[in-house]
Amino acid sequence: MSLAQPYLLFLGDAPDPLAAKVAQGIRDWRPDAAVGQLRLPGCNADMGLPDMTVPEAIAAGAKTLVIGVANRGGVISEAWNKVLVEALEQGMDVAAGLHTLLRNQVPLVNAAARNDRMLHDVRLPNRPYPIGDGKRRTGKRVLAVGTDCSCGKMYTALALEKAMLEAGRKASFRATGQTGILITGEGVPLDAVVADFMAGAVEALTPDNDDDHWDVIEGQGSLFHPSFSGVTMALIHGGQPDALVLCHEPTRTHMRGLPHYDVPGLEDLQPLALQLARRVNPDCRVIGCAINTAALSEADAMAYLAETEAKLGLPCIDPFRQGAGRLAEAL
Amino acid sequence: MSLAQPYLLFLGDAPDPLAAKVAQGIRDWRPDAAVGQLRLPGCNADMGLPDMTVPEAIAAGAKTLVIGVANRGGVISEAWNKVLVEALEQGMDVAAGLHTLLRNQVPLVNAAARNDRMLHDVRLPNRPYPIGDGKRRTGKRVLAVGTDCSCGKMYTALALEKAMLEAGRKASFRATGQTGILITGEGVPLDAVVADFMAGAVEALTPDNDDDHWDVIEGQGSLFHPSFSGVTMALIHGGQPDALVLCHEPTRTHMRGLPHYDVPGLEDLQPLALQLARRVNPDCRVIGCAINTAALSEADAMAYLAETEAKLGLPCIDPFRQGAGRLAEAL
């Protein structure tokens, strides 16, 4: 999966900023990736980029129109289609992570075929992956693992990459989900890969590299989440991490989507994740914790971080409040 | 996945008995499932069933022709095609677990369509599966987990089902691989299921049941096998086992297909598998070990079993040499 950059960010008729969170992620983490934004009447999101028509975006060098907004009711509307077809006809590719696949939209398929353009549905793999072989690779890898799904693993990995690059070190965020893929323009949509090839897909995503280069791998699911633990396991064994960052959201009362399951603590995650990772990399270490304290006050957040740090003896930070500098130092 | 029985076992031009191991599995474990066998000139396998032409098999009640032999060079030959088309035209479905898919063979697709018959490629899922929800289900489940791939998990599960049924108890072997699916006529080809739906597929395979009914779930992969551990994890969390049987092959010097990985011991597997299973079923227990001693002499096998039993304090048997009666008793 590889998207041509720079992007034109399509915000459509986003009813509120939250609906455009994919565009916001690109804006936050790859500010140079987009040359402008395209908004339709009624759009209530704004990335602070120049508003552009399709021809203006082409003139500014845009190669791919990225749909940075969720579509309402799972339908790609007439108004959306008009813009997307125009983009294809004028020479841009179109990329999206929608449930509604671009490749199932007849007008888009026709326009892409007529103009030799690509439709990227980043929700689905677009290439075959090998079966994993577990062989040691050169370079270093750090993986974010969580006590639950959706507890800040992507954010943590992006913040860690940023801190590493700011410190002048070699690092690459490696996306394993659709938002991460749209942000970086490449990656593996791991939850859509066929079971036998999960570990091999992660190996392909994090190949041999310079000895001082770090792949910062986006985590998925949780070893403790019965619906998705197999995906997490494949990330650990395929990712062959030298280092783990433990991610946690301290106010959650149950596993995401499963009210009948308690959320484990960091002290449960640490030994299990480490034991499994050492099967493929005996040198693996847990280097710190990234806590999503968005639901806490500043004072409560700082108290929680200090207390957790004392308890576990590991750097504990909130990457949103504090950045991931201390985790980068720990690597 | 559900195949109409009884079967006609197609042995083709099997060069030796080993090439017909799928047919042998059906013969061993579901002796009433097949009314006859069909052999082509040069066939060196024999299931001891009546040799039948397609019309004779139809007259004997056969509903599905099962390809019980591997095809040479990945090609379905002219000679095979002739028989398979005849079977479809006379009213049988055709089922196979070949790498070469039936659905990609034009003559077979045409014959199936003309005669309203099914082509079952059991290597691939033929229905959507839900995302797992980890909710406790009624009935009991036992899962075979292994120190490695291909160490006897399917055999163990089938032997355990047999011992349970012979003791007058309620049990159902639940197939998770292609050979198991052809043997029982139903199941989930778990290694071909998309990552997000693995646990849900196992839940769908082992639904609510009578309180005294045991699903005997075929294991796949190994928690210690870097290529396939995610599949094993999904089986443990989706299968929600009340009981685990640990499977092991004591003479193997490295993990299957991975010469750079040692095989763990049963003492490594026991605590890890149990910890993971208790996430979804706090009552889960390890009830015994099934050792594949085919590579040992009778004396060495008995000595190994006795020694392992003393060390682990669990019933340790070879299901091929001894049957799985002691495991059934332990349930």
Side-chain angles (χ1 to χ4, degrees), chain A residues 308-323:
Chain A
T308 308
E309 181 152 339
K311 192 166 67 178
L312 297 178
L314 291 167
C316 292
I317 53 103
D318 181 325
F320 182 78
R321 292 182 194 260
Q322 306 169 311

Side-chain angles (χ1 to χ4, degrees), chain A residues 88-136:
Chain A
L88 292 163
E89 287 184 339
Q90 302 219 3
M92 273 192 269
D93 297 335
V94 174
L98 305 174
H99 276 288
T100 315
L101 298 178
L102 301 174
R103 70 188 65 176
N104 290 341
Q105 308 300 311
V106 174
L108 302 184
V109 172
N110 284 343
R114 270 198 311 270
N115 297 282
D116 200 17
R117 292 293 94 206
M118 301 285 288
L119 297 176
H120 296 288
D121 288 303
V122 304
R123 191 174 279 272
L124 299 182
N126 67 348
R127 50 158 287 193
Y129 297 107
I131 285 178
D133 64 18
K135 287 192 183 146
R136 282 302 287 273

Side-chain angles (χ1 to χ4, degrees), chain A residues 132-135 190-196 198-199 223-224 226-230 233 237 255 258 260-262 279-280, chain B residues 132-135 190-196 198-199 223-224 226-230 233 237 255 258 260-262 279-280:
Chain A
D133 64 18
K135 287 192 183 146
L190 192 59
D191 61 10
V193 171
V194 163
D196 249 2
M198 294 185 298
L223 291 169
F224 295 88
S227 313
F228 307 118
S229 54
M233 184 70 143
H237 278 174
M255 295 297 277
L258 303 180
H260 43 305
Y261 280 91
D262 290 340
R279 174 68 179 159
V280 289
Chain B
D133 64 18
K135 287 191 182 145
L190 191 59
D191 61 11
V193 171
V194 163
D196 248 2
M198 293 185 297
L223 292 169
F224 295 88
S227 314
F228 307 117
S229 54
M233 184 70 141
H237 279 175
M255 294 297 277
L258 304 179
H260 43 304
Y261 280 91
D262 289 340
R279 174 68 179 160
V280 289

Side-chain angles (χ1 to χ4, degrees), chain B residues 243-280:
Chain B
L244 295 171
V245 174
L246 311 181
C247 299
H248 187 57
E249 204 286 83
T251 69
R252 204 166 283 183
T253 55
H254 61 75
M255 294 297 277
R256 189 170 165 85
L258 304 179
H260 43 304
Y261 280 91
D262 289 340
V263 180
L266 288 162
E267 65 283 7
D268 302 310
L269 175 59
Q270 180 174 13
L272 179 60
L274 198 56
Q275 175 188 358
L276 296 173
R278 284 185 171 162
R279 174 68 179 160
V280 289

Side-chain angles (χ1 to χ4, degrees), chain B residues 153-192:
Chain B
K153 293 185 289 290
M154 183 185 81
Y155 194 99
T156 298
L158 283 161
L160 181 52
E161 181 206 43
K162 186 179 181 201
M164 296 281 284
L165 295 175
E166 283 175 357
R169 299 169 66 185
K170 298 182 197 169
S172 306
F173 171 76
R174 300 299 190 185
T176 61
Q178 54 190 330
T179 304
I181 294 170
L182 288 172
I183 289 174
T184 60
E186 54 191 14
V188 168
L190 191 59
D191 61 11

